[in-house]
Amino acid sequence: SVKKLEDIQFRADAKKIYVIEAIDGELITKKGHYQTQIEFFESDVAQDILKIVVVNRYKDAPPAISFVKGFGLKKGAIASSVAHDSHNIIAVGCSDKEILQAVNRVIENKGGIVGVHKEERHELPLKIAGIISDKEGSEVAQSYKALNDFVKTQLESSLHAPFMTLSFMALLVIPEIKLSDKGLFDGNSFSFISPF
């Protein structure tokens, strides 16, 4: 099993980075840019530039880290082991601490969907291959609705379906730019690119 994630610091090698621009209700993304003056990149909630992390769930490996715009989270973090096509763990959040908390809860549950803010947590464990629940359908629907409502109302995501959008941020074959466990991928050139 994958070890708990301990660090997602992202050192700046340049003052400008690529940003995945998520579009509500769409699978495609745009390739944006972000300027910074700091040594370590962290989420910039005011500008909706949030850290996104992909953790390989099949073997221990350093996480891939980048940034995404369009989730609109004002606090907290979300994570999921439903991430097409490889179903690695993917997370987006407003702080490193909460991203780590969400990812590690998915790991503890051996798969699932999680939303966290400080000590508050909502989750839907997916114990079968990290993508299927062993619970009754009505129970799963109720848990998912509560989780989705928490993310949209308490964490203030502007997306209609934040977890659906999250699950496609790692699907490399759909342009324009996505993040896999191996790094940032440009779907137009069909190649991995530097985040800078």
Side-chain angles (χ1 to χ4, degrees):
S1 67
V2 177
K3 293 178 187 169
K4 281 189 173 184
L5 195 58
E6 295 180 0
D7 182 36
I8 53 169
Q9 278 198 335
F10 193 61
R11 184 180 292 275
D13 289 338
K15 297 302 179 190
K16 189 158 111 176
I17 58 170
Y18 287 118
V19 173
I20 302 165
E21 292 185 0
I23 303 166
D24 197 11
E26 299 285 338
L27 301 183
I28 62 166
T29 56
K30 297 291 184 188
K31 188 195 304 182
H33 300 92
Y34 175 66
Q35 295 277 150
T36 184
Q37 299 300 317
I38 58 175
E39 182 182 1
F40 289 99
F41 286 121
E42 303 221 1
S43 293
D44 185 342
V45 177
Q47 294 191 65
D48 187 30
I49 307 290
L50 305 178
K51 193 173 278 188
I52 182 169
V53 176
V54 174
V55 179
N56 187 315
R57 73 171 185 151
Y58 304 98
K59 63 181 182 180
D60 284 318
I65 305 166
S66 193
F67 289 85
V68 66
K69 182 177 180 69
F71 275 77
L73 294 172
K74 300 290 188 287
K75 52 194 168 188
I78 60 176
S80 176
S81 57
V82 179
H84 311 291
D85 276 335
S86 300
H87 297 290
N88 287 307
I89 300 167
I90 187 166
V92 170
C94 298
S95 73
D96 287 7
K97 180 180 178 181
E98 288 168 314
I99 293 170
L100 290 169
Q101 185 182 350
V103 167
N104 288 331
R105 189 59 188 162
V106 170
I107 293 170
E108 288 166 12
N109 283 338
K110 301 204 181 309
I113 304 170
V114 175
V116 300
H117 174 54
K118 295 184 179 176
E119 302 308 314
E120 189 171 1
R121 181 178 72 220
H122 292 260
E123 59 188 37
L124 172 58
L126 300 171
K127 295 184 182 287
I128 302 170
I131 57 173
I132 301 171
S133 174
D134 59 349
K135 305 293 183 191
E136 291 290 329
S138 58
E139 186 179 340
V140 173
Q142 187 175 5
S143 294
Y144 185 79
K145 183 180 184 319
L147 179 55
N148 204 47
D149 289 348
F150 170 71
V151 173
K152 288 165 64 174
T153 59
Q154 299 300 310
L155 306 188
E156 301 179 48
S157 175
S158 56
L159 293 173
H160 175 71
F163 286 104
M164 185 65 72
T165 301
L166 181 65
S167 71
F168 284 99
M169 291 300 105
L171 185 54
L172 305 188
V173 296
I174 298 178
E176 187 166 66
I177 185 173
K178 297 291 194 300
L179 182 66
S180 85
D181 62 302
K182 299 192 182 307
L184 206 54
F185 189 81
D186 187 320
N188 293 328
S189 65
F190 224 70
S191 61
F192 286 98
I193 60 172
S194 165
F196 302 101

